[in-house]
Amino acid sequence: MISDGFGRSFRTLRISLLDRCNFACTYCVDRETSDFGLKKTDLLKTEEWIRIVKGLHSALDLKKVRLTGGEPTLYPGLKILVREIKNLNIPEVSITTNGSVLSKQIEELKEAGLDSVNISLDGLTQESFQTMSRRSAFKQTLNGIDAAVSTGLKVRINCTLVRGKNEDQIIPILEYSWSKGILPRFLELMKMGYLQNSDTVPVFKQDEILDRVERRFGTLTPQVRKESSTANYWTTQEGNSFGIIANESAPFCRDCDRLRLDSKGNLYGCLSSSTGFPLPKLMEQGIEMEQILTLALRQKQDVRFKGSDLTMMAIGG
């Protein structure tokens, strides 16, 4: 097994299928507009992705592949890709999506073998939703959530908190999620893209989230963290659970098992690195996969994320 001095290897692969999105979320891009016009020539073909994943799986025995973006539901071969990855006998295939067009695809994705879906929802009013996403697709996203739940797939809601913009949505997101039987998670803002060198990154921290939840629901019971989990979880007195991905407050680098590919097939062992290994080119040159992965593993930080000039849209977070 390829591993480093902390015993870390790669068990989870995240693929950013495209670096375009139909949203322009405030924590991802610093402008009102977001390029999402797609040309097929801009995208790696499904057969190329399968060749890459097959090579990585042979070397790593992957346990999970998550398809992200940009917005993965805009990738024209998504259903085929899900099916072919499942055919590689990888136990879990999931997607992270803004949900805006999910209702039109979710049944086919489940039939193809999709196991779970994470849906980003940063506000539960039209105003808060539009403030965060810079789009008016609130109802479409809610429809996508309902459609995903109706299929019986495992569904989680991810809410990225930005101080001064949507921390007032914590309780509404919890109550909405629990009413749907969904596990909600809150994400601390990460220093990526245009935020990397900002002097005032508006992070709403884990302790502040917990304080708000406790004031509304009483004493919380922490759950035992699973190895390599990005999130810490708590349970309320009523038995409802929620998670916090506290990249700043509670770093999880020491047992991180994630490997990432951007939409060009560049390989990253850590979000803190802005330099990827051009995997398709290296594979064509006959470079041993183990050698490439060993180099990628060296990119991992010992303790915490250092920041990156890559955007969430480019690498999927």
Side-chain angles (χ1 to χ4, degrees):
M1 180 185 295
I2 301 166
S3 62
D4 65 8
F6 291 101
R8 295 177 297 192
S9 185
F10 297 119
R11 286 286 179 264
T12 300
L13 175 65
R14 297 176 62 103
I15 303 175
S16 180
L17 294 177
L18 65 173
D19 60 356
R20 305 293 179 88
C21 186
N22 53 346
F23 283 12
C25 295
T26 181
Y27 48 83
C28 188
V29 295
D30 61 348
R31 57 191 186 278
E32 292 292 330
T33 59
S34 171
D35 296 329
F36 59 91
L38 291 173
K39 297 179 181 178
K40 289 186 178 181
T41 54
D42 293 338
L43 307 174
L44 285 185
K45 295 180 179 179
T46 53
E47 52 264 35
E48 180 66 6
W49 281 124
I50 294 303
R51 184 175 77 91
I52 291 171
V53 175
K54 187 175 182 179
L56 290 169
H57 185 43
S58 296
L60 296 170
D61 189 24
L62 293 167
K63 303 304 180 186
K64 182 176 181 178
V65 173
R66 178 171 295 281
L67 304 174
T68 71
E71 174 47 46
T73 57
L74 301 180
Y75 182 80
L78 182 60
K79 179 182 71 173
I80 297 171
L81 193 54
V82 168
R83 185 182 68 231
E84 294 303 314
I85 291 174
K86 286 297 288 187
N87 286 342
L88 295 175
N89 294 318
I90 295 174
E92 184 175 351
V93 179
S94 58
I95 64 170
T96 296
T97 171
N98 62 35
S100 61
V101 297
L102 189 62
S103 62
K104 301 174 182 178
Q105 301 181 23
I106 193 63
E107 288 286 352
E108 289 187 341
L109 290 173
K110 183 184 180 183
E111 291 174 5
L114 189 70
D115 296 291
S116 65
V117 55
N118 288 356
I119 303 173
S120 298
L121 181 66
D122 299 323
L124 260 179
T125 65
Q126 179 68 52
E127 181 181 9
S128 62
F129 183 94
Q130 191 154 352
T131 293
M132 295 300 293
S133 68
R134 299 188 178 114
R135 295 293 184 267
S136 57
F138 181 49
K139 290 184 179 180
Q140 292 94 315
T141 293
L142 294 185
N143 289 340
I145 292 170
D146 286 339
V149 170
S150 70
T151 65
L153 287 170
K154 178 182 176 182
V155 180
R156 293 187 297 197
I157 283 177
N158 287 344
C159 175
T160 299
L161 295 173
V162 179
R163 182 180 297 278
K165 290 188 179 291
N166 70 331
E167 65 265 34
D168 63 334
Q169 296 298 297
I170 292 172
I171 302 305
I173 290 286
L174 288 174
E175 293 178 334
Y176 168 81
S177 301
W178 292 337
S179 74
K180 300 283 185 179
I182 297 172
L183 179 67
R185 305 189 304 176
F186 299 101
L187 285 68
E188 288 186 348
L189 193 61
M190 297 181 73
K191 298 176 181 178
M192 295 186 67
Y194 79 97
L195 292 170
Q196 182 190 11
N197 298 313
S198 173
D199 294 329
T200 55
V201 178
V203 178
F204 198 77
K205 294 187 176 182
Q206 176 172 280
D207 287 348
E208 297 174 284
I209 300 169
L210 293 174
D211 180 65
R212 291 218 176 185
V213 179
E214 284 189 320
R215 277 190 277 143
R216 174 65 178 83
F217 297 105
T219 303
L220 303 171
T221 301
Q223 299 179 15
V224 177
R225 177 181 174 271
K226 294 181 180 179
E227 185 177 4
S228 77
S229 175
T230 59
N232 293 309
Y233 291 93
W234 287 263
T235 303
T236 67
Q237 294 174 357
E238 290 77 25
N240 294 312
S241 295
F242 69 96
I244 302 175
I245 300 176
N247 178 73
E248 288 290 322
S249 301
F252 38 82
C253 294
R254 284 214 171 243
D255 59 359
C256 174
D257 68 354
R258 283 164 292 286
L259 180 67
R260 291 172 170 83
L261 286 164
D262 69 14
S263 61
K264 304 297 188 296
N266 294 310
L267 190 74
Y268 300 81
C270 179
L271 275 180
S272 290
S273 176
S274 300
T275 303
F277 299 93
L279 193 55
K281 182 178 179 180
L282 294 175
M283 291 174 70
E284 289 176 5
Q285 292 174 348
I287 306 297
E288 291 290 333
M289 186 67 75
E290 288 78 5
Q291 181 180 349
I292 303 168
L293 292 168
T294 298
L295 292 173
L297 195 56
R298 292 176 184 171
Q299 292 180 324
K300 286 195 176 297
Q301 297 297 311
D302 293 350
V303 178
R304 64 168 56 245
F305 173 65
K306 300 293 186 181
S308 172
D309 59 11
L310 294 171
T311 66
M312 288 285 189
M313 193 178 297
I315 196 64

